[in-house]
Amino acid sequence: MEENRETTAIVFYSKHHRNTQLLVDAIKKRAPEVELMNINDMNMIYLRNYDRIGIASGIYFSKFAKPLMEYLKLHLPEGKKVFALYTCGSMSDKYTKEVKELAAQRNCEYLGEYSCPGYDTFGPFKLVGGVQKGHPSISEIQGAVDFYFSLDKKNK
Ligand SMILES: Cc1cc2nc3c(=O)[nH]c(=O)nc-3n(C[C@H](O)[C@H](O)[C@H](O)COP(=O)(O)O)c2cc1C
């Protein structure tokens, strides 16, 4: 198991097909010290106890999920290191705008982000059996784990 000295919590929202949950569960499996907080379960943890806060979500109407962002607007502490993870139906680098703005407002260091496609059956896509079927793939899930461990290099 790779060593990771910073304490990390990942706050996530993953409801559509639990695509994003596949990423955070894989990280937790390889780095059991990471605390996961599922906004849907409301298994609350104190974010101020962690050095790094991961923010993970499916993309809903071009944004991270509203309940997740509302929670973070209330509870993201000042001065943390922040990273983002997301899955989406169609890729765009604009989805993290709100996350980056919030991090800047709280004087948090934005470490970076990882994204990959996620199975999407929203609206008209349902009629055609959805798009991005089979995503996130095993290698995309591994990509999230690799991204997580790459964050350690940014601490040096
Ligand atoms: C209501 C709704 C709105 C969505 N809006 C977008 C969008 O604006 N852009 C996009 O790329 N994907 C969009 N998607 C697709 C999801 O981002 C994608 O399926 C994601 O992997 C869902 O993550 P989850 O299963 O972890 O919730 C939307 C899905 C739903 C259900």
Side-chain angles (χ1 to χ4, degrees):
M1 191 189 306
E2 285 95 326
E3 199 174 331
N4 197 323
R5 289 190 191 87
E6 298 240 313
T7 54
T8 304
I10 302 178
V11 188
F12 72 97
Y13 179 101
S14 181
K15 209 166 180 184
H16 185 37
H17 288 288
R18 295 181 184 246
N19 295 324
T20 313
Q21 183 147 15
L22 293 174
L23 307 187
V24 299
D25 282 350
I27 292 170
K28 174 83 181 169
K29 200 170 171 194
R30 292 286 301 283
E33 70 281 3
V34 172
E35 283 298 333
L36 299 184
M37 174 178 159
N38 185 342
I39 283 286
N40 289 323
D41 294 347
M42 300 299 268
N43 60 323
M44 296 306 183
I45 54 175
Y46 289 106
L47 296 182
R48 64 171 176 271
N49 293 343
Y50 299 87
D51 303 311
R52 287 192 302 219
I53 313 294
I55 301 175
S57 181
I59 297 302
Y60 295 86
F61 308 109
S62 299
K63 291 181 168 185
F64 276 48
K66 206 171 175 183
L68 175 66
M69 293 313 295
E70 280 175 358
Y71 180 84
L72 289 166
K73 278 172 196 162
L74 289 175
H75 297 290
L76 181 66
E78 292 267 338
K80 300 293 181 184
K81 293 176 180 174
V82 164
F83 61 94
L85 302 163
Y86 63 91
T87 64
C88 55
S90 64
M91 303 302 287
S92 162
D93 56 10
K94 299 195 175 87
Y95 297 146
T96 47
K97 185 172 179 277
E98 203 183 358
V99 173
K100 285 180 193 157
E101 283 171 359
L102 179 62
Q105 280 164 18
R106 298 288 153 86
N107 297 312
C108 292
E109 181 188 353
Y110 190 70
L111 297 175
E113 61 202 47
Y114 177 81
S115 63
C116 69
Y119 182 44
D120 180 8
T121 53
F122 176 59
F125 294 136
K126 198 170 184 175
L127 301 173
V128 292
V131 292
Q132 307 294 10
K133 215 167 187 171
H135 295 277
S137 65
I138 288 170
S139 63
E140 287 159 350
I141 294 168
Q142 182 58 41
V145 175
D146 294 343
F147 166 77
Y148 173 73
F149 283 110
S150 78
L151 296 174
D152 278 350
K153 296 183 191 116
K154 301 191 183 212
N155 296 327
K156 289 169 187 151

